[in-house]
Amino acid sequence: MKDLTILVPLFNEEESIDLFLNATGPVLEGLNLSYKYLFVDDGSTDGTLKILKARAKDNPAINYISLSRNFGKEAALLCGIKKSDTKAIIPMDIDLQDPPDLIPAFVEKWKEGYNMVLGVRKNRDSDSPAKKFLSTWFYKVHNFFARRPIPENTGDFRLLDQNVAQAIKQINESTLFMKGLFNWAGFKTASVGYVRPNRAAGGTKWSYWKLWNFALDGIFNASTIPLRLWTYFGALTAGLSFLYAAFIILKVLIFGKDIPGYASLAVLILFFGGVQLMSIGILGEYVGRIFSEVKHRPTYIIKEEKLND
Ligand code: UDP
Ligand code: MG
């Protein structure tokens, strides 16, 4: 069994593959460990797979899997973890935003006995102000609801040992949020700080809309508390309306009949209409996820693969 898999999901990244191999190669050679690359081509439509095949011919350390279409980074990562058979796995982005220089630090912590070593971003300077703002709020909301809060400013860049990998291999969910799942696995965890550089080549594969939906997946996968909130809110409004009814009855008894006020009525109807739609929406988020889980469709489909020992 080899020591280390460098697991790289990639989608339309033809210009980054050689940059990545050149940057990681010397670091991996210097480790004194046996290692392999596992590239998971997430349904690229450019020359990504062709380049992978060419590089794999020259270099036996290069393994690849190609998915039948774009299933998303989370599915590609899960596929790679299920297929790897080494003592440790380090998932990395191909764009060198996960600095290869950190690998020796991860390995050192692993040798000290940690099961998972997180790469924690020291700052978010390479993100746009909007992305910074949104990610801060994402962690706030997620960790407010989640049973197990996720450490802020971490991504998928980390080292997993066999215990963590074994836990992840058992997962068969179709709505995936890998960061949450790694965290769910538990085990002894250390962290190493780093500064995230800008992309080496190409552009981001994430639009704000994709990120927003991803954030919702993260939150709704982490907890059912958003469902329960409506119970409390319902109890609160029921209690308040009881008090209000008592107040009206007393007022009529003391001062006699009042002029009807429809402004306040209209506001109340609109408010509770909105509240009900929102709570139905939240229910829908869960029902939708139940629907996609009960179908039990495979999370990804492999088109072809080349896996060496
Ligand atoms: N990626 C993928 N499938 C996708 C989108 C992205 O495998 O549907 C890969 C991408 O090729 C890269 C990594 O996931 O290796 C991170 O993507 P990106 O750099 O676009 O994300 P960002 O760093 O902007 O968050
Ligand atoms: Mg990137």
Side-chain angles (χ1 to χ4, degrees):
M1 183 190 277
K2 287 202 168 153
D3 295 314
L4 188 62
T5 298
I6 300 294
L7 169 58
V8 191
L10 69 177
F11 174 52
N12 290 345
E13 302 277 9
E14 55 186 4
E15 65 277 70
S16 300
I17 297 170
D18 288 329
L19 291 172
F20 180 82
L21 288 171
N22 292 337
T24 49
V27 178
L28 293 167
E29 286 299 330
L31 281 179
N32 239 334
L33 291 177
S34 52
Y35 69 89
K36 51 169 119 174
Y37 290 100
L38 177 54
F39 290 97
V40 183
D41 164 33
D42 185 17
S44 299
T45 49
D46 65 355
T48 298
L49 183 59
K50 216 175 93 195
I51 297 174
L52 285 179
K53 282 182 174 171
R55 298 300 172 268
K57 248 189 209 134
D58 305 333
N59 183 350
I62 297 181
N63 301 272
Y64 62 80
I65 297 171
S66 182
L67 303 182
S68 63
R69 64 169 169 85
N70 181 244
F71 282 91
K73 182 185 174 187
E74 308 302 296
L77 273 179
L78 183 66
C79 170
I81 291 171
K82 288 198 176 184
K83 285 283 181 178
S84 39
D85 56 357
T86 51
K87 291 182 192 153
I89 305 172
I90 300 184
M92 285 178 83
D93 291 357
I94 187 99
D95 56 11
L96 295 177
Q97 287 197 283
D98 300 334
D101 299 342
L102 224 62
I103 296 174
F106 282 179
V107 169
E108 202 171 300
K109 287 275 177 202
W110 172 42
K111 287 191 171 155
E112 281 174 28
Y114 289 97
N115 304 100
M116 184 150 60
V117 189
L118 307 177
V120 180
R121 294 175 65 174
K122 286 183 187 152
N123 59 51
R124 286 196 162 255
D125 292 350
S126 58
D127 285 352
S128 66
K131 203 169 166 186
K132 243 192 264 186
F133 173 81
L134 291 172
S135 72
T136 310
W137 273 97
F138 166 73
Y139 282 106
K140 280 197 179 142
V141 175
H142 181 280
N143 290 345
F144 175 75
F145 286 126
R147 290 226 168 79
R148 266 181 77 78
I150 46 177
E152 267 184 60
N153 297 326
T154 56
D156 300 315
F157 184 37
R158 59 185 70 207
L159 180 145
L160 329 169
D161 80 346
Q162 265 180 311
N163 296 292
V164 180
Q166 198 50 45
I168 303 292
K169 282 180 187 183
Q170 296 173 41
I171 288 169
N172 264 322
E173 293 171 25
S174 50
T175 319
L176 293 169
F177 185 70
M178 292 310 289
K179 259 197 280 195
L181 294 172
F182 291 141
N183 189 49
W184 157 86
F187 292 103
K188 203 172 147 202
T189 305
S191 52
V192 178
Y194 74 104
V195 176
R196 195 166 172 85
N198 285 320
R199 229 176 196 280
T204 177
K205 305 291 179 286
W206 292 86
S207 62
Y208 277 104
W209 180 241
K210 247 172 119 178
L211 280 173
W212 164 253
N213 286 311
F214 187 52
L216 290 184
D217 279 347
I219 290 164
F220 291 121
N221 276 13
S223 151
T224 49
I225 293 175
L227 285 173
R228 203 176 304 159
L229 270 187
W230 299 104
T231 317
Y232 297 121
F233 192 79
L236 184 72
T237 36
L240 286 177
S241 43
F242 186 76
L243 288 179
Y244 187 53
F247 166 76
I248 291 173
I249 291 168
L250 277 179
K251 205 170 144 199
V252 172
L253 285 179
I254 297 167
F255 299 107
K257 263 196 187 145
D258 200 359
I259 15 146
Y262 23 141
S264 55
L265 265 184
V267 169
L268 281 176
I269 290 170
L270 284 176
F271 176 69
F272 285 105
V275 164
Q276 279 162 8
L277 280 180
M278 233 164 90
S279 58
I280 293 172
I282 301 247
L283 273 177
E285 292 288 343
Y286 286 97
V287 174
R289 282 173 177 76
I290 294 168
F291 178 62
S292 58
E293 295 300 341
V294 295
K295 282 190 286 190
H296 285 302
R297 290 199 186 154
T299 315
Y300 50 82
I301 293 170
I302 295 173
K303 183 174 70 180
E304 58 178 294
E305 61 186 25
K306 179 174 170 286
L307 302 173
N308 305 324
D309 282 334

